[in-house]
Amino acid sequence: MNKIFDIIIIGAGVVGCSIARELSRFKLDLMVIEKEEDVASGISKGNSGVIHAGYHKEPGSLKATLNVAGHRYFQEWGEQLDFPVKFNGKLVVAKVKEEVEGLRKLMERGRKNGVKGLELIDAQQIKNFEPRVEGIAAMYSPFSGITSPYLMTIALAENACRNGVKFEFEQEVNAISRVNNLFRIQTAGNQEYYSRWLINSAGLNSAKVSRLICHNKHRIFPCRGQYYLTDKIDDLISMLIYPLPSKDGVTLGIHITPTVDGNILIGPSAEYIDSLEDTACTREVMDKLKREAEQFLPEIREAPFIRNYAGIRPKLFYPGSGVNDSDYIIEEDSEIHYMINLIGIESPGLTAAPAIADMVVNMVGEKEDLVLNDQFCPERKAPLIFAQQSEADQARLIQDDPAYGEVICRCETVTRKEVIEAFDNILGVRSLDGLKRRCRIMAGRCQGGFCTTRIVEILRDEYGLSPEQIFKSNFQSPLFYGRVKDD
Amino acid sequence: MVKNCNIICILCPNCCDMRVSFEGKEILELEDARCPRGLEYAREELFNPTRTLTSTVPIKSHYWKTVSVRTNKPIPKDRIFDVYEQLSSMRLAAPVKRGDVLIENVLGLGASIIATRSVLE
Amino acid sequence: MIEKDIDIAVIGAGPAGMAAAISAREKGVKDIILLERNPFLGGILIQCIHDGFGLHLFDQNLTGPEYAEELIQHLIKAKVPFLTEAMVIDINAQKEIRVVSRQGLLKLKAKAIVLAMGCRERTRGALEIPGTRPAGIFTAGVAQSLVNLQNLKIGKEVVILGSGDVGLIMARRLKIEGLKVLRVIEKLPYCSGLVRNRVQCLRDYDIPLHLSSTVIDIHGKDRLEALTAAQLNEKGEILYDTAEVIPCDTLLLSVGLIPENELSRKAEVRLDWRTLGAEVDDYVETNTPGIFSCGNVLHIHDVADYASQEGFLAGERAACRVRENQGKVLRFPVNASKEIKYVVPQLIREDCRETELKFRVTEPFENIRIIVKNGGETLFRKKFLKIMPSEMNMVKISSDKPLDKVYVELEKTEIA
């Protein structure tokens, strides 16, 4: 019989990986099963990467409490796990007088939620902070910030993996049953896994996964958010620029967000769609994003755009249903014990993730004695970024390893060594998208124009990969159909 | 039987889009040619069109995966794919030098396949 | 870390950079370095295995690799030092260069620099095409390198968006290698590549060219599955009722080349918004004294020979600059009428009496006259039956007086 895990976590998004990492502090056999070929491949990659201060949500709700609690972890986690965290502050900007009242309400809500430092500022103060931003008043939130949602998830997963958590990719769970007080989890890839606990953090598919065994009626309404990404731009904005949240409660509105890499994000839109997988961008919305961003930052019009993409929110309500917000579902199923469902973890899910992990650990701890794993190492080191080193360090690095002297990506100055380190990640992720997330290769303005050929060379020469073994993302996304003429 | 067709002359930037009537191997009428070279070009394109074929051949070498090749003179246009067939099964190993004849007098057309890049090791 | 003073550094060993290094060396400058990021010399020429190169420079019809080897032989004969796999990661207006290579970090302080970094391709992101983001979308130049140099089969059924020369060349190339090339789609009402390529790459192989059309949607989650194409009206607006789904697994983009001027910017080189390349004078010298620009990094060429010729000029002038540091010179702007997309050089030095202007038109024109004036004096006047944006035009001008009011204009004529 297969190995029996203490806990299996379904879904390697930021929530699943946070839980895995926090549980790896204890002596437990843990495994994460993921449908896609990499971590952060669903909701966790298609968001703004914002660390929310916590003034948006209804006081007392899980969303508000976990947001504020989660926020406190970022400084420490960023340092421990070596992922980018930057508290660059946020302006929620009012364009007309009537909106100022909305800012006041937001501040009041923030105060109730325990958010510190919120301040109402006038047009002149806006200009002092952000000379290019247009508005008549704003709420300034000094402790709002940004991270890289996928680098954060990768960091958590790598640290979890280092502490003994097993990861299985491209295994879509399609059946769950109870066998002798164990969960039997079967996947589309014909694998079978057994565990005592089952944690469902399957994001968009969390309702579907829970229904494989639970008798609940939870349902996810996918709500797409499209984004524009610009090339790196200096001196345009340094803070997050938000409008007032939409009245229907669906979203925080189309905002302008600097990324940790120096690009600027515009988005997201909010469109209810039929499919959990339809991350296509549409002309209409793309035009709208630009129009709305221009109202706050007219100069964004001239920005060089390098990419469009979309993510999907797991909403628990449908517009017109009379509901305008819903709280997270984080609970052990009332009938299926030892099964914890996390459903509808949308914004501020990224910020809340550390606190959600705490909550889940406590839920497990209530039912069994958790013994600290004395081998647990809280630290994880990100691969070194050549471009960020001093001249002297660059020289030394190349001397020690000439692979640092081979620049593969011109736009982002990524070296061969960094490509190899990214490809050698301990999770065993081998896709080009995975490579891109880990070392920024193909992510710059030429979007792979110079480096694609070089990467293919490296994968072939260093790893002996044949053309058919090179995938953009999962196994259904080959880049090549063999050779032009067989060798 | 008289036939008509359009031929774009590419001998100069004017690129005259010419209307040609011909019968057998004789041009009866040529319209829209802005200079006399158009007639010569039309005759060539109608009765003896030729092209240079270029392609690649896989090679075993230290760095390169392919060596580029071409016919050393233009070949009849309608034989391009026949000649391609001849070179498509070829496999090489370094060293190959630019100009090396890889297939001599391919298909008896009087042209040879030559390497267009040196792959020395 | 090695630090070194040098007379001339040439960045990029393509058709322009190699020519610049050769001519600088032939003008007697020995202390040169030619820096190339690839493991081989020749730049993009090596992947351009088709013929049509060298007709102007070598009076022969060569393929890209042959043309490159001709220049490389010159380079070796002239004993020009070069470094491959050497990426310039930083440069400044004081002409200090930081180079990364497997040999280490190299810091150069040059008396003159020739910028010859070439161009990059416009990507899907810049086009802002809606739809999904599957595998199977390549720019034409990347596809050319993967197919011609790596021997990789990039797809089975291919659609090409954009009728730039690289796209047309790849249409033929893929067809010869047995892929299905379904069509070439161009948003303009005319082909943006050279007529010669339209004839010999598309017509010869019965590949349809759909003008005034574009791709409006991309389908397929993992690998490309289909595209939606639609026609455009005269204003360039999408005619949605003409939308057509085209099943295919590969999309090549040949929608424009952009001079790669990130380094130039770091050297405080002023750029021309029309060419996206440096603003130069008749010596191809930029506003940063001692920094020259040539080839596709200056403006996009359609013929490599002309890029090399510009490189020869840059190398020659850089060599002069090493010998004498000229004092302040006045530079007069070259102006043009609105039908002229750009003119290079953008400036002419006060002591210049003879130079060559390169320009492109904004759209196709028939029966026109190109006139170049210098104030009241007409320097050039010629009728053109047809003039296309795809073709770079070159006009030699000379005068006894300073070329201080050069104006290029296009005049419509009545010719039967």
Side-chain angles (χ1 to χ4, degrees):
Chain A
M1 182 158 162
N2 290 356
K3 175 173 175 169
I4 297 162
F5 288 90
D6 292 315
I7 303 175
I8 283 180
I9 298 161
I10 301 173
V14 69
V15 172
C17 292
S18 294
I19 295 170
R21 192 263 183 168
E22 288 306 287
L23 284 172
S24 72
R25 293 174 182 275
F26 305 98
K27 284 188 175 155
L28 292 167
D29 271 330
L30 301 166
M31 177 156 80
V32 178
I33 305 178
E34 167 59 43
K35 176 161 89 67
E36 299 297 331
E37 92 291 353
D38 194 358
V39 300
S41 289
I43 308 163
S44 303
K45 80 173 169 191
N47 64 69
S48 316
V50 172
I51 307 170
H52 290 286
Y55 49 77
H56 282 117
K57 298 297 172 186
E58 193 61 38
S61 65
L62 276 178
K63 277 184 176 174
T65 328
L66 294 170
N67 179 346
V68 173
H71 183 278
R72 291 191 201 111
Y73 283 80
F74 272 79
Q75 190 73 47
E76 185 191 332
W77 277 25
E79 284 162 19
Q80 250 178 15
L81 299 168
D82 203 5
F83 65 83
V85 170
K86 199 170 155 190
F87 293 104
N88 48 338
K90 184 197 282 190
L91 295 180
V92 181
V93 180
K95 292 292 289 181
V96 290
K97 260 195 181 135
E98 294 72 58
E99 288 181 336
V100 178
E101 190 47 38
L103 294 180
R104 290 216 173 82
K105 278 190 186 147
L106 216 50
M107 278 191 60
E108 179 54 22
R109 185 174 265 199
R111 200 188 52 74
K112 281 187 187 153
N113 287 348
V115 180
K116 294 199 174 62
L118 300 180
E119 204 181 317
L120 202 62
I121 63 171
D122 62 19
Q124 185 52 49
Q125 287 168 303
I126 293 178
K127 288 287 173 200
N128 294 346
F129 278 124
E130 293 286 359
R132 292 177 171 81
V133 170
E134 304 281 340
I136 61 152
M139 184 184 81
Y140 168 53
S141 166
F143 301 111
S144 297
I146 48 173
T147 183
S148 159
Y150 46 84
L151 286 184
M152 173 180 171
T153 311
I154 288 167
L156 286 161
E158 288 191 356
N159 185 242
C161 184
R162 194 68 84 202
N163 287 309
V165 180
K166 201 168 157 17
F167 280 80
E168 286 283 336
F169 292 102
E170 298 207 55
Q171 294 293 345
E172 182 174 3
V173 173
N174 63 2
I176 302 171
S177 50
R178 282 298 243 168
V179 181
N180 304 329
N181 284 329
L182 294 175
F183 289 98
R184 179 171 70 187
I185 298 134
Q186 290 162 296
T187 69
N190 281 328
Q191 295 294 312
E192 253 184 29
Y193 306 99
Y194 291 86
S195 67
R196 295 194 296 111
W197 283 83
L198 186 58
I199 297 174
N200 165 21
S201 62
L204 284 168
N205 293 292
S206 53
K208 205 165 99 188
V209 166
S210 86
R211 282 200 307 273
L212 290 174
I213 182 160
C214 304
H215 299 284
N216 62 47
K217 292 210 167 59
H218 300 312
R219 192 172 156 199
I220 299 259
F221 298 94
C223 178
R224 183 167 61 196
Q226 300 187 32
Y227 287 95
Y228 258 107
L229 181 70
T230 72
D231 197 355
K232 292 185 181 174
I233 307 178
D234 296 331
D235 309 325
L236 198 54
I237 48 165
S238 61
M239 292 161 67
L240 308 158
I241 309 299
Y242 274 59
L244 272 169
S246 68
K247 284 201 184 67
D248 58 11
V250 174
T251 68
L252 303 181
I254 290 165
H255 44 261
I256 311 167
T257 319
T259 71
V260 289
D261 295 316
N263 311 70
I264 291 177
L265 265 181
I266 301 176
S269 59
E271 321 140 54
Y272 280 92
I273 52 170
D274 297 330
S275 154
L276 292 170
E277 296 196 331
D278 184 7
T279 54
C281 293
T282 59
R283 168 68 56 208
E284 206 187 349
V285 171
M286 285 160 66
D287 292 344
K288 182 179 166 201
L289 292 181
K290 276 192 184 172
R291 268 199 318 274
E292 298 216 357
E294 280 170 19
Q295 294 185 3
F296 295 94
L297 186 64
E299 284 175 51
I300 196 81
R301 202 177 300 135
E302 311 298 329
F305 293 99
I306 59 173
R307 198 170 159 79
N308 295 93
Y309 67 90
I312 301 178
R313 306 175 185 82
K315 292 276 179 195
L316 289 174
F317 60 94
Y318 199 76
S321 57
V323 184
N324 61 9
D325 201 2
S326 58
D327 211 356
Y328 296 152
I329 294 164
I330 303 175
E331 61 191 17
E332 185 178 347
D333 191 83
S334 53
E335 295 169 32
I336 313 290
H337 299 299
Y338 297 94
M339 167 120 185
I340 299 175
N341 284 308
L342 297 101
I343 302 173
I345 315 294
E346 54 160 331
S347 177
L350 180 69
T351 316
I356 293 175
D358 255 6
M359 185 174 163
V360 170
V361 170
N362 288 334
M363 288 164 79
V364 174
E366 274 171 25
K367 288 195 134 176
E368 64 180 75
D369 291 333
L370 293 175
V371 182
L372 279 174
N373 168 10
D374 43 23
Q375 308 284 305
F376 177 77
C377 167
E379 258 107 41
R380 170 262 182 190
K381 197 89 199 97
L384 184 140
I385 298 172
F386 181 81
Q388 292 174 358
Q389 308 303 308
S390 72
E391 211 168 79
D393 285 342
Q394 287 183 340
R396 201 167 32 246
L397 283 168
I398 302 172
Q399 204 165 36
D400 293 347
D401 190 340
Y404 276 118
E406 219 178 291
V407 179
I408 301 298
C409 163
R410 213 203 67 56
C411 307
E412 303 276 323
T413 319
V414 184
T415 63
R416 184 186 187 97
K417 179 72 181 179
E418 291 165 271
V419 174
I420 289 170
E421 283 197 336
F423 205 69
D424 284 339
N425 66 80
I426 58 167
L427 298 174
V429 175
R430 292 288 180 264
S431 67
L432 292 187
D433 279 352
L435 206 53
K436 173 161 140 186
R437 282 174 214 135
R438 281 166 179 77
C439 69
R440 305 167 327 286
I441 201 146
M442 302 176 284
R445 61 185 71 88
C446 86
Q447 295 276 299
F450 174 63
C451 60
T452 303
T453 316
R454 301 294 296 274
I455 295 164
V456 169
E457 273 177 14
I458 293 174
L459 300 190
R460 189 188 51 204
D461 298 347
E462 300 264 346
Y463 299 92
L465 292 189
S466 69
E468 296 86 348
Q469 291 171 307
I470 299 175
F471 297 93
K472 179 176 185 285
S473 52
N474 58 30
F475 288 138
Q476 275 83 50
S477 64
L479 237 65
F480 307 114
Y481 296 103
R483 293 176 174 81
V484 177
K485 299 186 183 80
D486 291 332
D487 282 348
Chain B
M1 201 178 73
V2 179
K3 289 181 188 162
N4 294 303
C5 71
N6 273 56
I7 290 177
I8 300 174
C9 174
I10 56 166
L11 295 178
C12 84
N14 284 337
C15 295
C16 300
D17 195 345
M18 308 179 295
R19 182 94 194 131
V20 197
S21 303
F22 63 101
E23 188 168 16
K25 295 248 164 188
E26 194 187 348
I27 291 182
L28 303 175
E29 213 182 330
L30 183 74
E31 284 173 53
D32 298 330
R34 295 174 174 103
C35 84
R37 290 200 293 167
L39 180 64
E40 197 42 51
Y41 182 80
R43 190 172 288 136
E44 195 67 22
E45 276 297 284
L46 276 177
F47 308 128
N48 183 31
T50 61
R51 298 286 186 268
T52 298
L53 170 66
T54 65
S55 186
T56 56
V57 173
I59 191 166
K60 281 203 180 352
S61 87
H62 175 64
Y63 174 75
W64 298 99
K65 304 298 164 212
T66 62
V67 64
S68 47
V69 302
R70 68 169 166 102
T71 54
N72 64 348
K73 58 178 80 155
I75 54 169
K77 196 170 127 183
D78 57 5
R79 303 300 299 277
I80 289 278
F81 282 99
D82 298 336
V83 173
Y84 174 79
E85 282 302 312
Q86 296 296 305
L87 69 83
S88 67
S89 56
M90 204 179 346
R91 300 293 175 268
L92 294 167
V96 168
K97 272 171 74 181
R98 174 190 157 195
D100 280 359
V101 174
L102 306 175
I103 305 178
E104 209 165 339
N105 190 14
V106 60
L107 297 174
L109 295 169
S112 300
I113 306 285
I114 60 166
T116 58
R117 178 158 50 75
S118 301
V119 178
L120 298 180
E121 47 173 19
Chain C
M1 190 172 0
I2 303 162
E3 293 186 50
K4 197 168 173 293
D5 284 343
I6 195 158
D7 284 344
I8 300 178
V10 180
I11 307 176
M18 287 200 288
I22 291 166
S23 75
R25 183 70 188 79
E26 282 173 352
K27 287 284 164 191
V29 180
K30 287 183 186 155
D31 196 12
I32 304 178
I33 184 105
L34 173 61
L35 300 164
E36 168 55 43
R37 65 185 186 181
N38 271 313
F40 48 85
L41 297 173
I44 225 73
L45 288 169
I46 305 300
Q47 69 187 56
C48 296
I49 65 160
H50 54 280
D51 62 333
F53 295 82
L55 293 163
H56 304 275
L57 209 59
F58 301 114
D59 206 19
Q60 292 179 67
N61 184 11
L62 302 172
T63 61
E66 292 169 306
Y67 181 97
E69 274 201 34
E70 288 288 331
L71 282 177
I72 293 167
Q73 276 166 17
H74 267 79
L75 204 73
I76 290 168
K77 212 183 287 168
K79 298 202 172 75
V80 176
F82 61 84
L83 197 58
T84 52
E85 287 186 274
M87 181 76 89
V88 175
I89 59 168
D90 206 4
I91 169 176
N92 62 27
Q94 288 68 52
K95 297 191 277 293
E96 290 163 331
I97 304 176
R98 187 148 48 117
V99 191
V100 169
S101 82
R102 290 182 75 90
Q103 281 75 51
L105 199 67
L106 180 62
K107 279 179 75 182
L108 299 172
K109 166 96 176 124
K111 291 199 180 98
I113 294 175
V114 178
L115 305 171
M117 292 88 75
C119 57
R120 66 164 180 268
E121 297 177 280
R122 185 163 278 134
T123 64
R124 177 187 170 186
L127 290 179
E128 303 173 23
I129 311 173
T132 54
R133 295 160 299 284
I137 303 174
F138 302 91
T139 55
V142 170
Q144 189 176 47
S145 149
L146 294 167
V147 170
N148 290 350
L149 300 183
Q150 303 294 331
N151 191 29
L152 292 169
K153 190 169 173 184
I154 55 166
K156 295 170 187 163
E157 302 199 326
V158 186
V159 170
I160 298 174
L161 175 60
S163 58
D165 286 310
V166 194
L168 303 182
I169 298 276
M170 282 312 289
R172 170 176 65 184
R173 185 71 195 104
L174 296 177
K175 184 91 173 193
I176 286 177
E177 294 297 346
L179 280 71
K180 279 191 188 144
V181 182
L182 304 174
R183 68 173 75 172
V184 176
I185 297 172
E186 169 59 55
K187 78 169 196 296
L188 297 170
Y190 52 89
C191 178
S192 30
L194 296 171
V195 175
R196 167 197 156 104
N197 286 331
R198 192 176 93 212
V199 171
Q200 297 202 341
C201 297
L202 300 189
R203 204 180 252 208
D204 273 8
Y205 294 90
D206 298 321
I207 298 166
L209 171 62
H210 292 242
L211 297 172
S212 300
S213 300
T214 194
V215 172
I216 60 166
D217 207 354
I218 292 174
H219 314 278
K221 181 174 167 288
D222 303 314
R223 175 84 194 192
L224 181 63
E225 288 166 15
L227 303 169
T228 306
Q231 289 166 24
L232 306 170
N233 65 15
E234 303 81 55
K235 287 185 225 156
E237 296 158 345
I238 297 164
L239 301 168
Y240 285 96
D241 54 344
T242 63
E244 178 190 0
V245 175
I246 310 164
C248 60
D249 55 44
T250 307
L251 172 65
L252 296 198
L253 301 174
S254 178
V255 286
L257 302 171
I258 304 164
E260 186 137 68
N261 274 297
E262 279 67 34
L263 287 175
S264 320
R265 278 198 200 96
K266 289 186 177 180
E268 294 165 34
V269 167
R270 195 183 304 134
L271 301 185
D272 178 344
W273 61 270
R274 289 158 297 201
T275 54
L276 300 177
E279 185 181 286
V280 293
D281 63 20
D282 48 298
Y283 284 5
V284 290
E285 188 166 8
T286 68
N287 63 303
T288 305
I291 298 189
F292 300 79
S293 176
C294 59
N296 278 350
V297 77
L298 178 57
H299 60 124
I300 301 301
H301 293 64
D302 36 81
V303 178
D305 299 50
Y306 298 142
S308 294
Q309 277 168 6
E310 216 165 70
F312 286 129
L313 173 65
E316 190 185 315
R317 287 302 161 187
C320 296
R321 179 61 73 250
V322 167
R323 275 194 227 100
E324 49 182 301
N325 224 333
Q326 215 165 337
K328 201 124 183 97
V329 267
L330 270 179
R331 292 176 166 91
F332 306 115
V334 176
N335 290 306
S337 62
K338 65 177 192 318
E339 300 87 353
I340 309 295
K341 190 179 173 197
Y342 71 78
V343 184
V344 171
Q346 292 86 347
L347 301 165
I348 296 180
R349 303 160 67 89
E350 58 182 318
D351 55 353
C352 173
R353 296 292 176 271
E354 192 182 339
T355 190
E356 187 173 45
L357 301 179
K358 297 169 185 171
F359 65 89
R360 281 178 201 269
V361 289
T362 52
E363 57 181 302
F365 291 100
E366 287 191 19
N367 299 327
I368 52 103
R369 195 177 277 126
I370 294 289
I371 301 165
V372 183
K373 288 181 186 155
N374 186 33
E377 186 186 3
T378 300
L379 304 178
F380 177 88
R381 196 180 162 83
K382 193 183 166 193
K383 279 179 193 166
F384 287 79
L385 294 168
K386 193 190 258 175
I387 192 162
M388 297 288 290
S390 56
E391 202 129 359
M392 186 178 83
N393 294 278
M394 289 180 289
V395 165
K396 284 207 166 76
I397 54 166
S398 64
S399 175
D400 305 331
K401 289 178 290 204
L403 295 162
D404 56 351
K405 288 192 188 67
V406 173
Y407 187 78
V408 184
E409 64 183 334
L410 181 146
E411 184 186 272
K412 297 193 170 100
T413 66
E414 300 300 323
I415 307 176

